[in-house]
């Protein structure tokens, strides 16, 4: 099959035919062709302008088209003789294209079923699925003794504790206390009869050795080693309960949308009883307000006032709409810039020896930054040195006309 494709590609030429209106002749031939096609009349090859009205030779003649059809027929019935050079590729292509359709291990696509959204909740056999009754492999084995609490320093602070990442000390509540004869073989699968006996039968030292082993295991010691990557001061326990990880959470648990800790059930807003417009408007108000209904009334307003109290006490101008000092000489010099800005701004004060200008901005919030940069350029064009332009908007933070047409902002 691949050999035939190569030969066909050798004789086929890509043709991109399109009509270009050049004079009345090309337009007339195109119109006649479309008219014949609409009436169901097969257009003759001699009437079809392959060149599209362009000057030059036709891409394929009738003889070339007939020869191409003849080659296709020979390839179909297998009577076409292949060149000698194709034998160099025949063995490779045939060997690579063989497929065993009788393979018993082959997967039948019809038996795979249909994928749906419930497959996202499916888990592999090795994954922990408590909903299906799988036991928790992280539970501690009661046959061992473990550290009761994480080690702390002399101040009572847990060693290696980080407020962001939590505990990081290698010794934790999963560390096994005591010694172990073998770290590779579990005690429940250990068979001492398969080992070479340490003592001969009837040796008088065997009972004493068992007492020593029992006493050694009863000691509250933790066998540790040092990891070169952690440093010589960090001791890593040798015997710990393996942590298998928590089951993967595919979704958050379902909760009632009214779940909160502050609003009483009788004080909740009944959105189902409101019309769609009123419900949306009320929801926007709650979303924009610092005192939302899921917080106690006055908490956020009190916090906001407390944050601004130092600035109100000092009487700072930045962040407020208070007016300050304005040098009349500089105001006269920047009159051309003020006329261009028009009523969109009001000059509040001139600070930093006439280099910082504060304005009360009345325009759209989305254009605030761009307008301040443009105002700075206009002031510089007036011959005034300007380091910065500050546009004050008070507590206005959005454009009501571009935000649903609702001018309500709520308490801040």
């Amino acid at each position: 099959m691949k050999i035939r494709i190569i030969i066909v590609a050798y004789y086929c030429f890509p043709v991109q035919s399109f009509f270009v209106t050049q004079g009345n002749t090309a337009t007339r031939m195109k119109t006649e062709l479309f008219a014949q096609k609409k009436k169901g009349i097969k257009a003759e090859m001699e009437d079809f302008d392959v060149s599209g009205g362009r000057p030059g030779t036709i891409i394929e003649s009738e003889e070339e088209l007939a020869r191409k059809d003849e080659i296709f027929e020979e390839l179909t019935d297998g009577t076409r003789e292949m060149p000698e050079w194709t034998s160099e590729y025949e063995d490779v292509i045939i060997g690579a294209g063989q497929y065993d359709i009788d393979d018993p291990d082959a997967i039948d696509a019809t038996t795979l079923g249909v994928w749906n959204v419930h497959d996202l909740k499916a888990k592999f056999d090795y994954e922990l699925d408590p909903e299906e009754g799988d036991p928790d492999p992280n539970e501690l084995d009661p046959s061992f003794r473990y550290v009761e609490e994480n080690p702390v320093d002399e101040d009572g602070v847990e060693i290696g504790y980080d407020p962001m990442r939590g505990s990081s000390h290698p010794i934790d509540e999963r560390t096994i206390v005591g010694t172990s004869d073998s770290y590779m073989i579990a005690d429940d699968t250990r068979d001492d009869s398969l080992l070479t006996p340490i003592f001969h039968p009837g040796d008088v030292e065997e009972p004493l050795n068992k007492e020593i082993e029992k006493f050694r295991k009863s000691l509250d010691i933790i066998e540790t080693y040092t990891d070169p990557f952690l440093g010589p001061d960090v001791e890593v326990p040798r015997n710990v309960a393996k942590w298998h990880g928590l089951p993967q959470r595919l979704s958050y648990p379902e909760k009632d949308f009214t779940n909160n800790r502050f609003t009483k059930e009788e004080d909740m807003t009944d959105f189902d009883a409101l019309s769609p417009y009123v419900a949306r408007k009320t929801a926007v108000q709650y979303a924009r307000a610092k005192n939302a209904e899921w917080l106690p009334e006055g908490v956020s307003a009190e916090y906001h006032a407390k944050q601004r109290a130092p600035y109100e006490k000092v009487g700072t101008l930045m962040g407020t709409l208070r007016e300050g000092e304005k040098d009349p000489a500089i105001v006269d010099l920047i009159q051309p810039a003020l006329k261009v800005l028009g009523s969109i701004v009001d000059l509040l004060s001139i600070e930093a020896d006439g280099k910082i200008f504060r304005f009360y901005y009345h325009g759209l919030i989305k254009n605030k930054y761009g307008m301040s940069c443009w105002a700075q350029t206009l002031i510089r064009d007036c011959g005034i040195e300007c380091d910065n332009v500050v546009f004050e908007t008070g507590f206005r933070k959005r454009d009501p006309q571009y935000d649903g047409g609702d001018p309500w902002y709520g308490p801040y």
Side-chain angles (χ1 to χ4, degrees):
M1 180 60 70
K2 293 184 179 180
I3 297 176
R4 295 181 179 180
I5 294 175
I6 295 174
I7 297 175
V8 171
Y10 181 77
Y11 286 92
C12 294
F13 303 93
V15 179
Q16 182 181 5
S17 60
F18 54 91
F19 293 101
V20 179
T21 305
Q22 292 185 355
N24 297 328
T25 304
T27 305
R28 178 180 56 79
M29 294 180 64
K30 181 176 67 174
T31 306
E32 292 178 357
L33 178 62
F34 287 163
Q36 293 177 2
K37 183 178 180 181
K38 187 174 182 180
K39 295 178 180 179
I41 303 174
K42 184 178 180 180
E44 299 295 337
M45 194 65 193
E46 56 193 16
D47 298 332
F48 182 73
D49 186 8
V50 182
S51 65
R54 301 185 302 272
T57 58
I58 299 177
I59 298 177
E60 287 183 316
S61 61
E62 294 183 2
E63 292 79 6
E64 292 174 341
L65 294 173
R67 179 57 179 163
K68 185 169 67 174
D69 295 337
E70 182 181 352
I71 292 175
F72 274 116
E73 293 178 359
E74 294 178 357
L75 291 173
T76 303
D77 55 25
T79 58
R80 181 169 181 78
E81 297 181 359
M82 302 298 179
E84 296 182 358
W85 56 269
T86 58
S87 62
E88 301 177 3
Y89 303 93
E90 183 174 0
D91 297 338
V92 179
I93 295 176
I94 293 177
Q98 294 294 330
Y99 296 96
D100 187 6
I101 60 176
D102 298 328
D103 185 5
D105 298 331
I107 299 177
D108 186 4
T110 59
T111 62
L112 297 179
V114 180
W115 183 89
N116 54 41
V117 70
H118 297 286
D119 292 336
L120 295 175
K121 299 181 179 181
K123 293 187 177 182
F124 293 99
D125 296 337
Y126 59 85
E127 290 185 298
L128 176 61
D129 192 358
E131 297 180 358
E132 296 295 331
D134 295 345
D136 188 1
N138 298 317
E139 293 183 358
L140 300 178
D141 188 355
S143 61
F144 295 98
R145 293 182 298 116
Y146 302 92
V147 175
E148 296 182 358
E149 60 180 1
N150 295 349
V152 296
D153 55 14
E154 56 185 8
D155 297 330
V157 180
E158 181 180 336
I159 299 176
Y161 179 80
D162 184 83
M164 297 294 294
R165 299 174 179 85
S167 301
S168 63
H169 198 270
I171 300 177
D172 55 9
E173 296 179 353
R174 302 187 68 84
T175 302
I176 297 177
V177 178
T179 60
S180 178
D181 293 336
S182 175
Y183 305 106
M184 304 298 295
I185 303 176
D187 292 340
D188 54 349
T189 59
R190 179 185 178 94
D191 189 1
D192 293 335
S193 63
L194 302 177
L195 302 176
T196 302
I198 301 176
F199 300 94
H200 294 286
D203 195 327
V204 295
E205 294 184 359
E206 184 176 1
L208 178 61
N209 184 72
K210 291 183 178 180
E211 292 181 4
I212 295 175
E213 289 182 357
K214 183 178 180 181
F215 174 75
R216 182 168 56 89
K217 292 180 179 181
S218 64
L219 297 177
D220 293 338
I221 61 176
I222 301 175
E223 295 186 355
T224 60
Y225 67 95
T226 57
D227 192 333
F229 294 98
L230 299 178
D233 299 333
V234 180
E235 296 183 353
V236 182
R238 288 188 179 275
N239 204 4
V240 296
K242 183 179 179 181
W243 175 256
H244 298 269
L246 297 174
Q248 182 182 7
R249 184 170 63 179
L250 302 179
S251 62
Y252 290 101
E254 296 183 359
K255 293 184 179 180
D256 190 0
F257 72 96
T258 60
N259 177 34
N260 60 74
R261 297 174 295 175
F262 303 103
T263 307
K264 298 180 181 179
E265 186 174 357
E266 58 271 13
D267 297 336
M268 290 183 181
T269 303
D270 188 7
F271 286 95
D272 297 333
L274 303 178
S275 63
Y277 172 77
V278 178
R280 179 188 178 278
K281 185 174 181 179
T282 306
V284 169
Q285 293 180 1
Y286 284 141
R288 292 177 181 175
K290 294 293 189 296
N291 285 344
E293 81 168 349
W294 51 83
L295 290 176
E297 184 178 357
V299 171
S300 294
E302 182 180 354
Y303 173 79
H304 179 78
K306 184 178 179 181
Q307 293 294 107
R308 288 205 52 86
Y311 305 98
E312 298 292 340
K313 182 178 180 181
V314 177
T316 58
L317 300 179
M318 191 65 64
T320 67
L321 300 178
R322 298 191 185 97
E323 294 188 9
E325 298 181 357
K326 311 172 192 175
D327 190 347
I330 299 179
V331 175
D332 293 338
L333 293 176
I334 64 173
Q335 284 299 320
L338 297 178
K339 291 181 180 179
V340 173
L341 295 174
S343 60
I344 199 171
V345 296
D346 292 330
L347 182 61
L348 295 178
S349 64
I350 303 176
E351 309 292 338
D353 299 331
K355 298 181 180 179
I356 298 179
F357 296 81
R358 293 177 58 248
F359 291 92
Y360 183 7
Y361 177 65
H362 305 282
L364 297 178
I365 297 296
K366 68 174 185 177
N367 300 330
K368 177 182 174 182
Y369 180 75
M371 289 294 296
S372 62
C373 296
W374 185 44
Q376 185 176 2
T377 302
L378 293 176
I379 294 175
R380 289 176 178 176
D381 292 342
C382 297
I384 302 298
E385 184 178 358
C386 180
D387 294 341
N388 190 18
V389 171
V390 179
F391 276 4
E392 303 284 5
T393 57
F395 293 139
R396 185 168 67 95
K397 299 180 180 180
R398 59 184 61 85
D399 303 319
Q401 297 302 326
Y402 287 86
D403 211 12
D406 192 352
W408 190 89
Y409 298 106
Y412 288 102

